[in-house]
Amino acid sequence: MRLLYSIGIVLYGLLLRILTPFHAKARLMVKGRKDWYSKMKQTVDTSQKHIWFHFASLGEFEQGRPVLEAVKNNYLDHKIIVTFYSPSGYEIRKNTDLADYVFYLPYDTAKNARLFLDLVNPSFVLFTKYEYWYYFFEGLHKRSIPLYLISAIFRPEQIFFQAYGTFFLKILSYVTYFFVQNEESVRLLKEFGIRNASLAGDTRFDRVVNLPKNRVMIPEIAQFIGDSPVLVAGSTWPEDEQILQELFQGYANYKLILAPHEINESHLTSIFNLWPTALRFSKMATYSATGVAESNVLVIDNIGMLSSLYGYGQMAYIGGGFGVGIHNTLEAATYGIPVLFGPNFKKFQEAKDLVENGSGFSIANNKQLKNVFCRLQDQSACQEAGKLARAYVLQKAGATQIIMKYLKGASVNIKKSEEESSDHD
């Protein structure tokens, strides 16, 4: 199986190179990894102590950010190295001040893992939620470098727990400790002989809990809204936009702030075809006051504002639920507003919890969306759902504190072992 895995990695890299003329994301992934070793060798100071964080993409970076911030503040004698797998993380956070170095993670081959770890030689490593790379994990294990998984979540249908998943289950055996999101994950790991895991929760709660207090006020948004009620639709895809367009035909008094997941011109064009009178945020300065007042749709054509935008809404709609899965519901829930989303949410514990406590609403079609939206026009029902959403976020915060307490204890034990070994020498 290891041979098949290795061949698969090589073939995947080859496929990306073939796609580069036609696919922007593939082009960035190939370009970002080109000559990675020479770039790192020229940049990384090997005489320094390092801590390595890996994030699959931007979402995982934001999820693990509270731990990254805490580690940076508590390990001042270390340099922080951050790696990303996807361009959506690297291209947006490559200049983050939370890291001393930011790189693409090299493809997971035995040689790449060895060269990378020779350069970085981290004191310990943290991966957030996803991504299990055999050669990197094996390399860390062989070097006795602690590897921690934070905000991890496991489900019975994952490949690790299938009859044919022995090789992938072995990858999990290289992890020093799992900080998981729910009790189901703890039980599932134990069933397969992995007991170095405990419930810590999801660090995203720590990330979002203070968003309302720290939100950025955006004058153009306030100007667009005026006195109208607002639905903020975040991380939307074409399927979401179609159903929202049908909904808003019956709610002319509402304003819609639409922040699509992808802001390439072809996607934006499809949105303006649905709403010909919609405004574009980047052009707000060019619109007349009358034009702003008369339009009821504003399209956000940039990245980075969404976590503040939810503060302007009476309700939120989270995109992705008609595709591979919904996006971040917590950034909306923390503002104390009801959260609506499509049917594909079962892989997301927080979404299931929001539905269960009455602050989240899953809709499978236009009729259901209209029914939920109509019910939430009752101000008391809307406010009650919002209170439940905020209370849920407050209740679940605290994972970062649990993780940091463990890391500090582990660091003390490692230091004692090193001192004892030195004394014996």
Side-chain angles (χ1 to χ4, degrees), residues 17 50 56 68 81 83 92 102 127 132 151 165 180 186 215 225 263 278 360 382 405:
R17 287 194 291 275
H50 300 113
L68 175 58
I81 293 178
T83 58
I92 294 173
V102 182
F127 275 50
Y132 303 90
S151 296
V180 301
V186 176
R215 73 182 268 219
I225 292 170
I263 56 172
C382 188
K405 183 178 180 180

Side-chain angles (χ1 to χ4, degrees), residues 130-141:
Y130 292 130
E131 303 238 324
Y132 303 90
W133 298 113
Y134 177 82
Y135 289 108
F136 281 103
F137 280 30
E138 182 192 48
L140 291 168
H141 179 73

Side-chain angles (χ1 to χ4, degrees), residues 301-410:
D301 55 352
N302 63 45
I303 300 294
M305 289 172 49
L306 186 54
S307 62
S308 293
L309 292 176
Y310 288 122
Y312 290 97
Q314 277 69 51
M315 283 179 264
Y317 178 95
I318 310 301
F322 289 94
V324 295
I326 60 171
H327 294 284
N328 192 336
T329 55
L330 297 180
E331 287 187 349
T334 192
Y335 284 99
I337 57 177
V339 183
L340 289 65
F341 40 81
N344 193 355
F345 69 93
K346 299 294 175 60
K347 292 181 179 180
F348 304 89
Q349 184 66 43
E350 68 281 2
K352 293 192 292 184
D353 291 343
L354 291 171
V355 170
E356 187 175 334
N357 83 351
S359 60
F361 303 86
S362 174
I363 52 94
N365 51 52
N366 180 260
K367 182 178 180 181
Q368 290 184 9
L369 177 59
K370 288 180 178 178
N371 288 340
V372 170
F373 199 79
C374 181
R375 283 180 8 228
L376 292 175
Q377 298 311 299
D378 181 329
Q379 190 172 7
S380 61
C382 188
Q383 289 177 348
E384 179 61 23
K387 287 179 183 177
L388 292 170
R390 176 61 180 172
Y392 172 72
V393 173
L394 291 171
Q395 176 193 358
K396 293 290 185 177
T400 301
Q401 185 176 358
I402 294 171
I403 293 167
M404 289 306 300
K405 183 178 180 180
Y406 183 99
L407 292 180
K408 289 176 182 177

